[in-house]
Amino acid sequence: MQTQLHSRHNGDHRSTWRLLAVLALSLISSPAPKAAETITIGKNSGIVWEGMPFSASLIGYIGGQRHSPYAGLTSISDIRTACLQTSKLTTIAGYKALQIAPGVGLIPRATANATYTLNTGVQETLAGTIGLPITEGRTSSGHVITGPVYSGTREWCLPPRTTIIEFFYSTSVRRNVQIAGTWVMVADGTQTSRQVAVPPMYAGSYQNVAGYDLTQQILPSEITLRISTLICTVATTTNINFGGVQRNTQAGSELARLTYPLTVSCSQDTDRINANINVQFRAISGLYSATPTRLALTQGGGYITGEIDNGITGSGACNGTTGIPFDNTQLKVGSIASAETAKAFNNQITWRLCSGGTSLPTGPVDASTEMLVTFN
């Protein structure tokens, strides 16, 4: 479920805060699997799994001055020597993904940053995203790179330029590349029960000269994808309006609170499994003061907290840190057994609007988060 929070200004000291939600159901397993671990997904469509956070640091000299777009300075690929070939991607549920099984694909959701030196001696930076929401980067000198590159033949690849340049890099200064993110599995609803191997994947910084490619494995080997018939849906109020609230510049003060039902319903026919049913939230507008349980307002100065009853989370009080974490942490709401064909989990979810202090805005504000219904 993708949730967006918006605010409208009702005078100098009052604001109306609104929570809008669009359902996007997903299923997930453990976010950090070990070797030989199994990821289980079900029959849902769209984003059906997200997890396995990764971080790669690639630092080393550049072997030659020549710049080639297919040898991406920042890249995520299925091989250690070059950017991913566009021909290996398939459109699944509207996403360009690396197909793992019929109707199921894999996509990174990553940020990339690189620092390097041109042959003129000028240091340049490249920053962007790879995979979701889009593969696109911008250099400090103003060049914009949008995938696919190299005449449309390479994906998940961000070189600093889109053409071949013979004398581009300085070879006397190390490049520094940082790539971090999570993995996302998408499906179109046509997937059938089976087990398949998930290929290892790599963060890469590639060069034209042998021996100067830098790679780091960011998706473990020996992972199995299991597709089951388990399907889960979520029901909760999707249009929340806090109404007019009084501006309060005391940090940690509660400006408004609303509580609604949160029901997760699951069913399975053939190939029934035992599974824990979870919900997890990912901050779209960011975390306030890097605190996982505080969803930042886009404009800053305030935040949203959440709380799920029945001991699923702690208190979502504005001055606490025990509510819903917005960092993809799994929150178990219950479990279903292989002997059960259907089960529902009924809870209450409470949203609080909180002041960040004197920087609390008086005009329109917004915030957003994404919620997944998952299992493992």
Side-chain angles (χ1 to χ4, degrees):
M1 183 184 73
Q2 181 171 302
T3 306
Q4 295 182 322
L5 294 92
H6 297 281
S7 165
R8 292 190 179 91
H9 179 54
N10 284 347
D12 290 342
H13 300 289
R14 298 178 67 84
S15 298
T16 300
W17 306 73
R18 194 180 181 200
L19 176 65
L20 300 176
V22 179
L23 242 55
L25 307 180
S26 299
L27 304 173
I28 195 169
S29 72
S30 173
K34 301 174 184 177
E37 189 161 343
T38 298
I39 297 171
T40 305
I41 67 169
K43 290 282 290 181
N44 292 80
S45 60
I47 294 177
V48 296
W49 177 89
E50 180 164 359
M52 290 189 239
F54 58 83
S55 179
S57 179
L58 308 171
I59 302 173
Y61 285 106
I62 292 174
Q65 291 184 315
R66 191 172 193 260
H67 169 276
S68 294
Y70 73 86
L73 189 68
T74 63
S75 172
I76 292 177
S77 182
D78 62 337
I79 59 176
R80 290 184 178 273
T81 55
C83 290
L84 181 78
Q85 294 180 5
T86 300
S87 60
K88 293 183 178 180
L89 297 186
T90 302
T91 299
I92 299 174
Y95 300 94
K96 294 177 71 174
L98 182 67
Q99 183 169 286
I100 304 301
V104 182
L106 184 71
I107 315 172
R109 189 197 299 274
T111 58
N113 294 275
T115 302
Y116 47 96
T117 301
L118 306 180
N119 70 336
T120 60
V122 174
Q123 186 181 78
E124 190 173 273
T125 60
L126 169 65
T129 56
I130 298 176
L132 292 176
I134 189 174
T135 299
E136 184 173 270
R138 180 183 294 271
T139 71
S140 54
S141 57
H143 292 271
V144 176
I145 295 88
T146 302
V149 297
Y150 197 60
S151 300
T153 65
R154 303 289 171 164
E155 286 278 5
W156 302 350
C157 184
L158 288 178
R161 302 292 189 271
T162 57
T163 59
I164 293 175
I165 302 173
E166 292 298 333
F167 302 101
F168 183 77
Y169 290 114
S170 167
T171 59
S172 62
V173 183
R174 290 182 178 90
R175 67 195 188 272
N176 187 322
V177 175
Q178 306 293 322
I179 302 174
T182 57
W183 288 102
V184 174
M185 203 80 74
V186 296
D188 61 12
T190 66
Q191 64 270 27
T192 57
S193 298
R194 66 180 65 204
Q195 291 192 36
V196 296
V198 178
M201 300 293 292
Y202 307 93
S205 179
Y206 303 116
Q207 292 294 302
N208 289 291
V209 180
Y212 287 88
D213 291 334
L214 302 174
T215 62
Q216 182 176 329
Q217 188 169 341
I218 55 175
L219 185 62
S221 304
E222 300 182 16
I223 295 176
T224 298
L225 171 66
R226 183 188 184 193
I227 304 172
S228 76
T229 64
L230 181 60
I231 186 168
C232 295
T233 59
V234 62
T236 190
T237 302
T238 59
N239 191 353
I240 299 170
N241 192 331
F242 283 105
V245 299
Q246 186 69 39
R247 186 171 184 267
N248 187 335
T249 57
Q250 180 178 347
S253 62
E254 182 179 306
L255 305 178
R257 181 197 311 186
L258 288 172
T259 299
Y260 296 96
L262 174 67
T263 300
V264 179
S265 302
C266 299
S267 63
Q268 53 184 344
D269 41 40
T270 60
D271 187 33
R272 294 197 296 267
I273 62 173
N274 298 313
N276 295 321
I277 309 302
N278 316 293
V279 293
Q280 65 188 68
F281 297 79
R282 183 179 70 88
I284 304 298
S285 56
L287 300 176
Y288 183 80
S289 296
T291 304
T293 56
R294 296 178 179 180
L295 177 67
L297 302 177
T298 302
Q299 295 76 12
Y303 53 95
I304 303 292
T305 68
E307 174 184 334
I308 303 176
D309 67 351
N310 297 324
I312 294 172
T313 72
S315 170
C318 289
N319 58 2
T321 57
T322 60
I324 291 173
F326 297 95
D327 61 356
N328 266 329
T329 297
Q330 290 183 325
L331 303 170
K332 180 181 175 182
V333 298
S335 60
I336 190 170
S338 59
E340 297 174 305
T341 58
K343 199 168 186 179
F345 311 93
N346 299 303
N347 298 282
Q348 300 285 320
I349 187 167
T350 298
W351 297 104
R352 289 177 173 87
L353 177 63
C354 308
S355 173
T358 56
S359 59
L360 181 69
T362 57
V365 296
D366 64 87
S368 58
T369 183
E370 182 180 79
M371 173 184 166
L372 302 182
V373 178
T374 71
F375 61 82
N376 64 328

